[in-house]
Amino acid sequence: MIPASFDYQRAASAEEAVSMLREHGEEAKLLAGGHSLLPLMKLRLATPSVVIDVGRIRELSYLRDGGDQVSIGALTRHRDVETSELLQREVPILAHVAGLVGDPQVRHRGTIGGSLAHGDPASDLPAVVLALGGTLVVQGPGGRRDIPATEFFQGFLETALAPEEMLVEIRVPKARGGWSYQKFNRRAIDWAIVGVAAVRNGTTGVALVNMGPVPLRASAVEQALAGGASAADAAALAAEGTDPSADLNASVEYRQHLARVLVRRALEEAGA
Amino acid sequence: MTVTGVPADGRIGTPLLRKEDPPLLTGEARFVEDLVVPGALHAAVLRSPHANARIRSLDISGALASPGVVAAFTGADLREEWAQPLPCAWPVTADIKIPEHLPLAVEHVSYGGDAVAVVVGESREAAVDALDAVVVDYEPLPAVVDLQEALTDRVVVHESLGSNRCYTWSLIPDPAAVDSAFAEAAHVVKERYVQQRLIPNAMETRGVCVVPQPFGGDYTIYSATQIPHILKVMLGIVTGIPEQKLRVVAPWVGGGFGSKLNVYAEEALCLALARRLKRPVRWTEERIENAQATIQGRGMIQEIELAADRDGRVRAVRVNLLADMGAYLQLVTPGIPLLGAFLYHGVYDIPAYAFTCTGVFTTKTATDADRGAGRPEATYAIEPAMDALAHQLGLDPAEVRRRNFIATEKFPYSSAAGLVFDSGDYGPALDQALELAAYEATRKEQQDRRNAGANKRIGIGLSCYVEMCGLAPSRVLASLNYSAGGWEAATVRLMATGKVQVVTGSTPHGQGHETCWSQIVADRLGVDPDDVDVVSGDTALSPAGMDTYGSRSLSVGGVAVWQATEKVIAKARAIAAHQMEASEEDLELVGGSFQVKGTPSRSMAIQAVAFEAFTAHNLPDGMEPGLEAQVTYDPPNFTFPFGTHVAVVEVDSETGDVDLVRYVAVDDCGNQVNPMIVEGQVHGGVVQGIAQALYEEAVYDQDGNLRTSTLTDYLVPSAAEVPSFTLGHTVTPSPTNPMGVKGVGEAGTIASTPAVMNAVLDALAPLGVTALDMPASPQRVWEAVERAKKAAEGEER
């Protein structure tokens, strides 16, 4: 479990990180909490020649009340998201789910931005931000731009981030209505075999964990609900448009079954 | 826990805090990897990615040219280093087939992970990086994964052996009795169970560091091992280095569960490399290597048949096993099924017995001892079979068990399998467990939920178990063709200042020997346990030992400490009597002082006696100076801990999720030296058994690739996955030893797997599910429910 050799650089600001990314291009990887990147490096599945440590950029760790939304610095740790009174009050699903990521060690090191930028379809937070209809703010050499969460996740571990860009902020609308997060796993520390985030905020947003190569919105379910379908009828559509893979924990068929059951339970709990 | 606020004076039976814990908790404890050895080279091992292949060619020149690399060797390069192949110490039958097992394979690899080359570098990183530069040309051959497929010999793992059948071992004392019991049976139960392979996953992976001593050709071998004494003997045999030139040290060792009860390729390799390179050589196992190249546990297909009369009394049990040896025989691989072979009748009075086991080679990692070793398998066969019998008879599982228990008045009980159970009292343990589990109320809730058609179904599982511990009477081992004895040695020494040194051959790797041995000595001598120091794990300091496995430490090694202490007391009494001008019979040892009976003012502290023994100024005529005694204790019989565990699960029939909601363990390990350590052993053991039932499985694909070689894929559960346990105890002292102790290190693992699986099947029985393989993963449970539903629909049509 020894990574291939690499150079280590530490960025003091987002600007510096972006200029380091410019210099090293696709050979570089950003290191935040390290809980996704370092295991891949130790298994030599990732062999970046330069690791740019952004984990100590304090100015990107914050939670701010922005009126009808909450802005979260990309380097805010899961533990701070989990315990934020602002989020617990205004976006309770996000605080709750941050408390389900990995184990306490992971939550004290891992960051919300790291989790989203990694784009793992099995992670909890991408689905929550999708269901909330959040926005991701990225910084590049030319300044900042906003990317809707729905457009951010593009392929397996691929996002809309350009090689020279860094995720700096996540904005989520306040969502004090009904919500539910169904995480189905075998051990508390595991990724979800299937997960479902449901948020009622005017309309009902539903997103799925581990039901395809990217974090997904359950569009068929959302449309059925918008058309007045019952929770049970809408949930029956949960596997539509999904493309889950099979692994040691679950076959494709079982995942699709779980998606239907868990979406129904999520909608019932959220009061949709 | 029962620790806080309980006064613990350290005497036997008190929950003295573990002496081991401060160094472990502060990081002061030093494991092999922590040892600073100036000038040490680092070895890295290249392993086969194929389960079965011929090595066409192997080129190490690229590795030799890599930066920081000092040497690199192939199997052929090192062939002359080995006086003997790696040992199998338990050739269970005269005609057993034993494949040659060299530390580095030469022409053929037989499992994914088989070592083919070693690179030695100035740093670990240099050695690991250079592995990529070794070029191996393999000719892949078909893998042999399935046991029944292996028996067909369509693909033979070791061509020189001609067959994958390693051995067949039988224990059928009276075949006619078995046949007639089945012929006359009113009820016959026939079940088939699969023991999935488990990866023991000690928290510390293996590690070894061999240091050549500057003069005399001696070597010190530091190893993360359970068995420094056996390792010393075996490494001498493998390398041809005279045994007296070897010193093995097991420093702090971070768990083993049996996986470090072995002699491994890397231990021999580092010794041979140190001899060849004349420098210290060390190796630390990576976690993925640990999954592949350290032994695995279980791996059996079990067929068990019960013949019962009209009332559900079992008259015969017949067992057939296929046991997966893996590709090679490690130290005691073939013997593991034999450790359970005598216990397939469980706690029941079954007069006719038949057991047969066939060992089978496959292209997988070798199996060997894994917590419980043979006994969890036996319990997992008889206990689910008893549930199947209860189901067939329409009886409560507790009632069927009660009808079949060996009656308390029958002890000592001669079993049909040939053991003499020294003691037992099974009914009270069952009663207590049922009460702690609120059995009747839970049964009612179960029925209420069934009546309401609830999605979450309750299941209750029982497991009444007995194990044989205290391995082992040496003569019994001889009859099983085991190549060593089962004794244990101890020395108890009072030093000039009255402090006590205990030297034990039993080598801890997490159990708490230091605490318990201190308590035994403190209790007998009446001294403070902090005044007792325990020396272990170094063959130079404790030359005689048989090490730690099979729940043997207390009931063999602890008894040796007790007996050595008694010998010390006898000598001290003679000295005190001489000094006090009293007769020995008039002296009693009270609170650490010899007193004249009836005249407590006339006394002499044990420490003062120790000083007199040290100065030798005034000892009885002819007495040797010094106050110490050495005992080598060979137990006259095994010990037989028992108990009842109850699991209550909630099964989500829609998702297949199993939630363990309550767990009760009532164990009888005889007299307890430290109840806190007993609780800890039960907790850890129970979790490990739950893990087999619900979480863990070493999964191989058809090509023989291990798919669960990381802790992401191999699901070791944590405290978050289990409820708080309810523990109870009964105390039936073992008459086999003077302490009345039995052993508890494996009890939890032995008992818990069937309790949990019986509970899961109990929950699913009304849905028509009658069998379920382990682990009972959500998908497996869901599929079983779906299959049963479809079958029921088919019947309706």
Side-chain angles (χ1 to χ4, degrees):
Chain A
M1 312 307 271
I2 296 174
S5 69
F6 59 89
D7 287 333
Y8 171 89
Q9 299 185 353
R10 188 186 299 164
S13 65
E15 290 71 25
E16 192 182 3
V18 168
S19 93
M20 288 172 171
L21 283 172
R22 264 187 103 169
E23 184 187 343
H24 300 291
E26 299 200 16
E27 293 301 303
K29 284 298 267 182
L30 295 182
L31 173 73
H35 278 77
S36 299
L37 179 62
L38 295 184
L40 291 175
M41 289 173 64
K42 287 185 175 183
L43 293 166
R44 301 200 177 194
L45 296 172
T47 53
S49 56
V50 182
V51 169
I52 300 166
D53 185 355
V54 296
R56 302 188 200 199
I57 304 177
R58 286 259 168 131
E59 65 198 39
L60 289 182
S61 175
Y62 57 82
L63 291 136
R64 287 181 197 140
D65 190 336
D68 58 354
Q69 60 185 10
V70 176
S71 300
I72 307 162
L75 293 172
T76 308
R77 302 201 188 268
H78 301 312
R79 174 72 183 165
D80 295 326
V81 173
E82 177 188 355
T83 55
S84 157
E85 286 178 17
L86 173 65
L87 286 176
Q88 285 170 355
R89 189 174 64 241
E90 305 292 352
V91 199
I93 187 173
L94 187 54
H96 171 78
V97 176
L100 300 179
V101 175
D103 55 32
Q105 289 92 327
V106 170
R107 296 196 286 273
H108 278 85
R109 295 297 302 168
T111 65
I112 184 171
S115 175
L116 290 166
H118 189 53
D120 188 335
S123 288
D124 301 295
L125 295 174
V128 174
V129 173
L130 267 179
L132 283 165
T135 302
L136 289 84
V137 182
V138 306
Q139 184 164 338
R144 293 191 170 197
R145 66 183 177 115
D146 292 353
I147 306 174
T150 48
E151 295 168 20
F152 187 73
F153 304 106
Q154 302 202 329
F156 183 66
L157 304 186
E158 283 177 24
T159 68
L161 279 167
E164 300 168 357
E165 284 180 325
M166 172 183 172
L167 177 60
V168 290
E169 187 178 276
I170 295 93
R171 290 189 202 130
V172 289
K174 291 183 176 175
R176 283 168 296 214
W179 60 273
S180 174
Y181 189 72
Q182 301 285 325
K183 182 171 186 172
F184 190 84
N185 57 8
R186 291 176 68 183
R187 299 178 302 176
I189 63 163
D190 289 329
W191 284 278
I193 294 171
V194 174
V196 176
V199 182
R200 284 177 66 207
N201 204 15
T203 59
T204 301
V206 181
L208 304 174
V209 179
N210 223 355
M211 286 300 292
V214 292
L216 289 175
R217 276 187 88 130
S219 306
V221 175
E222 292 178 342
Q223 283 163 19
L225 288 171
S230 69
D233 289 345
L237 306 173
E240 281 192 15
T242 64
D243 182 21
S245 54
D247 58 26
L248 289 173
N249 284 318
S251 63
V252 170
E253 186 193 6
Y254 180 53
R255 275 211 161 82
Q256 291 177 333
H257 166 76
L258 283 178
R260 287 187 286 266
V261 172
L262 297 176
V263 166
R264 193 196 74 226
R265 290 182 183 180
L267 294 177
E268 284 168 358
E269 190 176 65
Chain B
M1 295 296 280
T2 51
V3 183
T4 317
V6 176
D9 62 2
R11 299 183 73 89
I12 287 174
T14 60
L16 183 69
L17 289 178
R18 292 191 349 142
K19 288 181 162 193
E20 291 86 348
D21 286 339
L24 285 169
L25 294 172
T26 58
E28 189 185 286
R30 289 284 178 270
F31 299 84
V32 171
E33 169 76 348
D34 299 321
L35 300 175
V36 176
V37 179
L41 297 169
H42 297 256
V45 175
L46 186 70
R47 299 185 184 280
S48 166
H50 301 288
N52 192 12
R54 257 186 286 278
I55 301 172
R56 286 203 198 95
S57 67
L58 213 169
D59 180 2
I60 55 172
S61 58
L64 282 168
S66 296
V69 169
V70 173
F73 301 100
T74 67
D77 295 337
L78 295 184
R79 185 66 189 82
E80 68 198 35
E81 297 284 339
W82 316 124
Q84 292 286 330
L86 291 168
C88 170
W90 202 343
V92 294
T93 59
D95 63 349
I96 186 173
K97 293 186 175 68
I98 301 181
E100 183 181 64
H101 185 195
L102 297 175
L104 289 183
V106 178
E107 291 169 340
H108 182 253
V109 291
S110 302
Y111 72 98
D114 212 348
V116 297
V118 62
V119 176
V120 186
E122 293 286 357
S123 71
R124 190 170 167 204
E125 292 75 10
V128 169
D129 280 349
L131 290 179
D132 290 342
V134 179
V135 181
V136 191
D137 182 13
Y138 293 101
E139 178 191 340
L141 301 167
V144 187
V145 178
D146 179 78
L147 289 183
Q148 271 148 341
E149 168 65 22
L151 272 185
T152 67
D153 283 336
R154 274 191 282 265
V155 175
V156 175
V157 180
H158 300 285
E159 282 172 12
S160 60
L161 300 180
S163 170
N164 294 325
R165 188 183 292 263
C166 174
Y167 70 88
T168 296
W169 188 92
S170 288
L171 174 65
I172 311 176
D174 186 349
V178 176
D179 292 343
S180 69
F182 275 96
E184 294 162 12
H187 299 275
V188 172
V189 165
K190 184 169 186 178
E191 296 275 297
R192 179 183 186 273
Y193 304 120
V194 178
Q195 293 281 333
Q196 79 272 34
R197 277 176 168 251
L198 302 178
I199 299 175
N201 271 310
M203 198 181 293
E204 180 203 18
T205 57
R206 291 187 293 123
V208 58
C209 179
V210 178
V211 183
Q213 298 305 308
F215 306 104
D218 291 5
Y219 298 88
T220 301
I221 299 142
Y222 299 93
S223 185
T225 182
Q226 296 175 222
I227 53 163
H229 298 90
I230 296 170
L231 183 62
K232 176 168 71 82
V233 175
M234 294 300 180
L235 287 180
I237 292 170
V238 171
T239 60
I241 298 171
E243 184 190 344
Q244 76 277 14
K245 300 278 188 190
L246 301 178
R247 171 186 177 194
V248 178
V249 181
W252 288 87
V253 177
F257 308 125
S259 72
K260 294 172 182 166
L261 190 196
N262 230 304
V263 177
Y264 281 105
E266 297 81 5
E267 291 167 322
L269 262 180
C270 286
L271 178 55
L273 292 168
R275 171 167 64 180
R276 202 177 253 230
L277 300 171
K278 299 183 171 52
R279 284 179 67 178
V281 177
R282 68 194 309 167
W283 170 81
T284 301
E285 185 181 51
E286 300 190 347
R287 183 56 67 181
I288 289 176
E289 288 184 292
N290 182 259
Q292 290 186 319
T294 289
I295 62 95
Q296 298 178 0
R298 317 287 189 261
M300 289 183 194
I301 296 172
Q302 306 171 298
E303 286 174 359
I304 180 168
E305 294 169 90
L306 304 180
D309 67 17
R310 198 163 286 106
D311 300 325
R313 289 195 173 74
V314 183
R315 310 308 299 161
V317 56
R318 184 158 56 200
V319 176
N320 265 296
L321 298 188
L322 287 182
D324 189 348
M325 304 286 99
Y328 297 107
L329 302 182
Q330 284 278 354
L331 191 65
V332 292
T333 302
I336 298 306
L338 274 61
L339 290 172
F342 300 85
L343 293 176
Y344 277 79
H345 64 79
V347 287
Y348 310 113
D349 191 357
I350 303 179
Y353 194 85
F355 172 94
T356 302
C357 174
T358 296
V360 183
F361 291 113
T362 58
T363 53
K364 290 180 282 185
T365 301
T367 57
D368 207 307
D370 181 21
R371 200 170 192 174
R375 291 153 290 166
E377 296 93 319
T379 311
Y380 186 74
I382 183 66
E383 283 304 283
M386 290 301 281
D387 265 23
L389 177 62
H391 202 248
Q392 197 178 111
L393 291 161
L395 286 173
D396 188 283
E399 174 58 24
V400 168
R401 285 168 169 80
R402 246 188 257 283
R403 284 185 193 180
N404 283 284
F405 278 158
I406 300 165
T408 305
E409 60 272 17
K410 283 198 171 181
F411 291 97
Y413 169 80
S414 296
S415 79
L419 293 178
V420 177
F421 285 32
D422 66 353
S423 58
D425 191 9
Y426 302 145
L430 173 63
D431 293 342
Q432 192 184 138
L434 295 181
E435 191 186 329
L436 289 172
Y439 187 68
E440 293 305 326
T442 311
R443 281 274 177 229
K444 185 175 177 310
E445 191 189 346
Q446 177 182 46
Q447 196 53 52
D448 290 347
R449 286 211 201 175
R450 279 178 192 169
N451 295 343
N455 176 37
K456 292 201 172 170
R457 290 167 175 271
I458 287 179
I460 310 167
L462 301 187
S463 170
C464 301
Y465 75 97
V466 62
E467 52 168 329
M468 50 189 248
C469 291
L471 307 181
S474 296
R475 286 182 178 178
V476 175
L477 292 178
S479 72
L480 297 174
N481 221 22
Y482 181 66
S483 319
W487 47 265
E488 193 51 84
T491 302
V492 172
R493 179 178 294 141
L494 266 76
M495 299 183 287
T497 54
K499 308 297 182 191
V500 188
Q501 185 179 54
V502 178
V503 182
T504 177
S506 180
T507 301
H509 47 285
Q511 289 82 0
H513 288 51
E514 194 179 349
T515 306
C516 292
W517 286 195
S518 297
Q519 285 184 259
I520 293 168
V521 172
D523 184 278
R524 304 313 293 162
L525 289 180
V527 302
D528 188 323
D530 283 344
D531 284 345
V532 184
D533 189 44
V534 179
V535 173
S536 67
D538 183 336
T539 61
L541 301 177
S542 74
M546 275 293 157
D547 306 316
T548 292
Y549 47 85
S551 305
R552 72 188 298 272
S553 291
L554 183 57
S555 59
V556 189
V559 171
V561 171
W562 167 290
Q563 292 186 338
T565 309
E566 293 296 328
K567 275 178 131 174
V568 162
I569 290 169
K571 183 172 181 181
R573 184 187 305 274
I575 296 171
H578 176 75
Q579 297 263 336
M580 296 165 74
E581 297 179 343
S583 78
E584 289 185 36
E585 301 79 59
D586 288 342
L587 293 185
E588 55 186 355
L589 182 57
V590 179
S593 290
F594 286 102
Q595 299 176 355
V596 176
K597 287 176 191 162
T599 317
S601 56
R602 287 191 66 201
S603 73
M604 186 173 181
I606 190 86
Q607 290 85 355
V609 178
F611 191 71
E612 291 295 335
F614 169 72
T615 64
H617 291 174
N618 183 20
L619 295 179
D621 290 345
M623 180 181 276
E624 285 183 29
L627 187 51
E628 70 174 75
Q630 197 266 343
V631 163
T632 304
Y633 170 68
D634 196 350
N637 191 2
F638 298 96
T639 59
F640 297 88
F642 64 86
T644 294
H645 289 204
V646 181
V648 180
V649 299
E650 215 174 57
V651 181
D652 184 332
S653 57
E654 209 175 12
T655 63
D657 189 40
V658 176
D659 188 13
L660 181 61
V661 294
R662 198 178 313 150
Y663 197 91
V664 173
V666 175
D667 296 285
D668 191 320
C669 59
N671 290 330
Q672 301 184 5
V673 172
N674 186 318
M676 179 192 68
I677 290 178
V678 169
E679 282 195 9
Q681 286 282 11
V682 172
H683 283 184
V686 165
V687 176
Q688 218 159 356
I690 292 168
Q692 180 174 12
L694 298 180
Y695 296 100
E696 297 185 13
E697 179 177 19
V699 179
Y700 284 86
D701 67 19
Q702 281 309 299
D703 296 325
N705 300 305
L706 178 62
R707 294 185 63 198
T708 52
S709 59
T710 72
L711 292 175
T712 302
D713 296 315
Y714 188 84
L715 307 182
V716 179
S718 73
E721 278 69 57
V722 294
S724 279
F725 303 136
T726 305
L727 303 194
H729 294 283
T730 59
V731 178
T732 311
S734 167
T736 296
N737 61 68
M739 296 180 67
V741 297
K742 303 181 192 172
V744 75
E746 297 163 298
T749 311
I750 290 166
S752 57
T753 308
V756 174
M757 288 303 289
N758 281 346
V760 174
L761 277 176
D762 183 54
L764 296 176
L767 297 172
V769 177
T770 54
L772 197 60
D773 280 345
M774 298 188 289
S777 68
Q779 173 165 319
R780 243 182 212 148
V781 171
W782 175 71
E783 286 172 347
V785 170
E786 292 296 302
R787 265 198 308 276
K789 267 193 211 163
K790 286 199 179 95
E793 281 164 16
E795 275 173 27
E796 277 165 26
R797 282 188 206 113

